[in-house]
């Protein structure tokens, strides 16, 4: 969808003729597909409609889809991520739009109007590099203001609820100025945003990942209460429980499509494999001799600091050569995919292993180059975490509809 119907442009921060062409092509594509989509939407009557801004590959909206919502659109600017979104979200449409340019919001509102659709929930994870600990923090990074596209769209469509996901730095950097801006801007248009830091292992995700979620109900006297954890520390899903049923791929790349070498060995594996008969995105990496030599010296759960003293000073990055621990959740899945290694094998985790650790089921297939696939997985909200929030939010929205 994105590759066929969207005009590419080299710059996204300025309003140019190519942007107009891009937005026009996106609008025309939605118009051309409006009739068959309307038929599908008729079949989804009774479900809550949601749109995912800054959707990436669609981890958050996958959670909402699995919670019984009707996902209408996924909006992003990354072609590979949009292809992945399009092929994994049923009747939802992937649309390439530059959301630095708020004029493009009309593409979305026009689509809703032309199809006589009401938006119930607006969800999204706007870029957050200026607040992330994974890179240099800059509260003035222009990407920090991309959330304002969500404010604009919410103001024009008046959804019942808004969900915004971001990094913990949003609450911490410069006295939490980013979070305060979000709360204030949404309050002006009738949403009381409640922020909360959620820890992924508490919700059955085998990965140490903290993210802040803002949830706001429109013109509502009730305050949203986030879902409670379902697991305690002693029962967190471990790396081993998540991925030890996948082929080893030690010293080989493997095939594009592979068979499972064994039956599921844990409840989590059964869940991930429940709709899949084969393995995709499980391509190994063969490292150079130096990396393999050092990895062989590092036990699980340790990093470059475990190397013999004669190798001190070779690595400076604090997570270099970090090997996962089989009996613990993984470290936070990132987009660079070069510093974390399998707890047993001397290689980095595959895209599929990383996806498992993010709680993407095995029938969710990633598209693009291998590097693009890693980036999609690392940028995503774990679907199981999205689903937990979606199910909790539905209780409030259905109760309001019944009042």
């Amino acid at each position: 969808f994105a590759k066929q119907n969207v005009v590419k442009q080299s710059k996204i921060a300025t309003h140019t003729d190519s942007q107009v062409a891009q937005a026009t092509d996106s609008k025309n594509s939605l118009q051309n597909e409006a009739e068959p989509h309307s038929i599908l939407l008729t079949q989804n009557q009774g479900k809550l409609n949601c749109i995912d801004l800054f959707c990436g590959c669609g981890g958050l909206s996958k959670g909402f889809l699995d919670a019984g919502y009707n996902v209408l659109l996924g909006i992003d600017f990354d072609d590979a991520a949009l292809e992945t979104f399009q092929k994994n979200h049923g009747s939802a449409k992937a649309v390439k739009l530059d959301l630095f340019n708020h004029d493009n919001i009309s593409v979305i509102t026009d689509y809703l109007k032309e199809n006589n659709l009401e938006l119930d929930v607006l969800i999204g994870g706007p870029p957050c590099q200026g607040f992330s600990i994974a890179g240099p923090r800059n509260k003035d990074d222009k990407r920090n203001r991309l959330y304002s596209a969500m404010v604009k769209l919410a103001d024009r469509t008046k959804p019942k609820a808004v969900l915004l996901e971001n990094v913990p730095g949003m609450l911490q950097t410069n006295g939490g100025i980013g979070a305060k801006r979000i709360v204030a801007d949404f309050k002006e248009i009738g949403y009381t945003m409640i922020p909360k830091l959620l820890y992924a292992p508490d919700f059955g995700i085998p990965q140490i990942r903290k993210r802040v979620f803002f949830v706001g109900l429109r013109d509502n006297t009730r305050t949203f209460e986030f879902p409670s954890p379902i697991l305690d520390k002693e029962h967190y899903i471990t790396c081993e429980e998540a991925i030890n049923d996948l082929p080893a791929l030690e010293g080989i790349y493997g095939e594009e499509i592979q068979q499972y070498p064994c039956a599921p060995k844990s409840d989590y594996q059964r869940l991930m494999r429940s709709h899949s008969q084969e393995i995709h995105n499980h391509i190994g990496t063969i490292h150079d001799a130096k990396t393999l030599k050092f990895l062989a010296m590092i036990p699980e759960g340790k990093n470059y600091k475990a190397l013999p003293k004669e190798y001190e000073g070779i690595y400076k990055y604090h997570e270099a050569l970090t090997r996962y621990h089989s009996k613990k959740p993984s470290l936070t899945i990132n987009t660079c995919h070069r510093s974390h290694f399998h707890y047993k094998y001397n290689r980095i985790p595959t895209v599929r292993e990383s996806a498992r650790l993010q709680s993407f089921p095995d029938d969710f297939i990633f598209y693009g180059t291998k590097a693009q696939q890693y980036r999609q997985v690392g940028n995503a909200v774990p679907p199981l975490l999205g689903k937990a929030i979606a199910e909790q939010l539905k209780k409030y929205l259905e109760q309001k509809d019944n009042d």
Side-chain angles (χ1 to χ4, degrees):
F1 179 92
K3 291 183 177 179
Q4 294 174 350
N5 298 310
V6 180
V7 176
K8 294 184 179 180
Q9 64 183 102
S10 59
K11 295 183 179 180
I12 65 172
T14 58
H15 188 94
T16 65
D17 290 341
S18 61
Q19 281 183 319
V20 174
Q22 171 199 300
T24 301
D25 280 2
S26 295
K27 182 174 182 179
N28 290 340
S29 298
L30 288 172
Q31 288 175 335
N32 292 338
E33 299 185 20
E35 185 174 346
H37 198 200
S38 296
I39 295 173
L40 289 169
L41 293 173
T42 300
Q43 299 170 352
N44 286 322
Q45 284 182 348
K47 292 187 175 183
L48 295 163
N49 292 330
C50 73
I51 287 177
D52 190 354
L53 290 194
F54 314 101
C55 63
C57 67
L60 183 56
S61 44
K62 171 62 175 170
F64 272 72
L65 193 67
D66 290 346
Y69 288 70
N70 181 36
V71 180
L72 299 176
L73 303 174
I75 315 295
D76 206 275
F77 200 74
D78 184 303
D79 287 319
L82 285 169
E83 182 181 5
T84 297
F85 180 97
Q86 182 70 68
K87 293 180 177 178
N88 288 281
H89 288 79
S91 63
K93 302 302 176 187
V95 184
K96 184 178 183 181
L97 287 177
D98 167 24
L99 293 176
F100 275 112
N101 177 9
H102 289 175
D103 290 344
N104 288 334
I105 291 173
S106 294
V107 174
I108 305 169
T109 56
D110 289 350
Y111 174 76
L112 293 173
K113 183 178 179 180
E114 289 160 6
N115 286 276
N116 194 29
L117 293 169
E118 179 182 347
L119 178 61
D120 296 302
V121 185
L122 175 62
I123 64 176
C128 51
Q129 284 84 348
F131 294 106
S132 175
I133 62 171
R137 299 189 185 191
N138 177 10
K139 66 180 178 63
D140 297 318
D141 189 319
K142 65 184 180 182
R143 292 169 294 186
N144 297 342
R145 299 289 293 180
L146 270 172
Y147 78 87
S148 61
M150 293 187 69
V151 179
K152 295 283 187 182
L153 182 57
D155 192 29
R156 292 177 62 175
T157 58
K158 303 294 190 293
K160 298 180 180 73
V162 176
L163 165 63
L164 187 152
E165 176 267 351
N166 222 288
V167 293
M170 185 68 70
L171 296 174
Q172 303 159 353
T173 303
N174 294 100
I177 187 173
K180 292 174 182 176
R181 285 176 180 171
I182 289 172
V183 170
D185 287 353
F186 276 101
K187 188 174 182 61
E188 286 186 8
I189 61 170
Y191 296 86
T192 301
M193 299 293 275
I194 307 298
K196 187 174 180 64
L197 193 67
L198 297 183
Y199 188 49
D202 289 343
F203 297 90
I205 294 104
Q207 175 198 173
I208 296 171
R209 191 181 192 93
K210 293 180 179 179
R211 288 296 183 267
V212 61
F213 291 83
F214 297 78
V215 175
L217 304 172
R218 179 167 61 87
D219 301 326
N220 202 306
T221 56
R222 293 173 299 162
T223 299
F224 178 77
E225 293 186 10
F226 283 84
S228 300
I230 62 171
L231 296 177
D232 57 30
K233 187 175 181 179
E234 287 70 30
H235 296 91
Y236 285 163
I237 309 299
T238 68
C239 284
E240 187 175 60
E241 291 173 314
I243 64 175
N244 76 342
D245 63 323
L246 297 173
L249 302 182
E250 197 162 25
I252 62 171
Y253 293 108
E255 302 298 325
E256 290 291 333
I257 300 176
Q258 301 173 49
Q259 300 304 308
Y260 293 104
C262 61
K265 299 179 180 181
S266 69
D267 289 340
Y268 185 83
Q269 291 172 15
R270 273 185 281 276
L271 177 63
M272 294 295 102
R273 291 169 56 166
S274 58
H275 299 291
S276 180
Q277 300 299 317
E278 55 193 18
I279 308 168
H280 295 256
N281 306 122
H282 190 56
I283 302 299
T285 299
I286 301 176
H287 300 281
D288 60 54
K290 175 185 173 184
T291 300
L292 291 173
K293 173 185 175 181
F294 289 153
L295 276 176
M297 303 178 193
I298 297 175
E300 60 177 297
K302 302 296 182 180
N303 60 17
Y304 72 98
K305 295 179 182 178
L307 291 172
K309 285 189 175 181
E310 59 262 34
Y311 300 115
E312 285 183 0
I314 292 179
Y315 295 95
K316 303 295 183 183
Y317 178 50
H318 71 286
E319 287 193 0
L321 295 182
T322 297
R323 192 186 286 281
Y324 291 152
H325 197 295
S326 62
K327 306 300 183 184
K328 297 179 181 179
S330 77
L331 299 181
T332 303
I333 303 298
N334 56 36
T335 58
C336 66
H337 65 267
R338 301 302 299 180
S339 56
H340 297 170
F341 293 82
H342 196 284
Y343 60 85
K344 182 177 181 180
Y345 307 121
N346 292 328
R347 59 169 175 79
I348 61 173
T350 66
V351 171
R352 178 52 54 197
E353 287 167 338
S354 297
R356 279 271 191 98
L357 297 168
Q358 274 274 58
S359 76
F360 280 99
D362 288 3
D363 63 331
F364 193 105
I365 300 172
F366 296 86
Y367 295 87
T369 66
K370 191 175 177 182
Q372 289 171 331
Q373 293 171 20
Y374 274 115
R375 185 165 64 246
Q376 291 170 41
V377 175
N379 279 330
V381 175
L384 283 183
L385 187 53
K387 182 182 179 183
I389 300 172
E391 290 176 336
Q392 181 77 351
L393 182 58
K394 186 186 286 189
K395 298 175 185 177
Y396 288 80
L397 301 182
E398 291 180 342
Q399 180 181 341
K400 185 176 181 181
D401 287 341
N402 293 330
D403 289 343

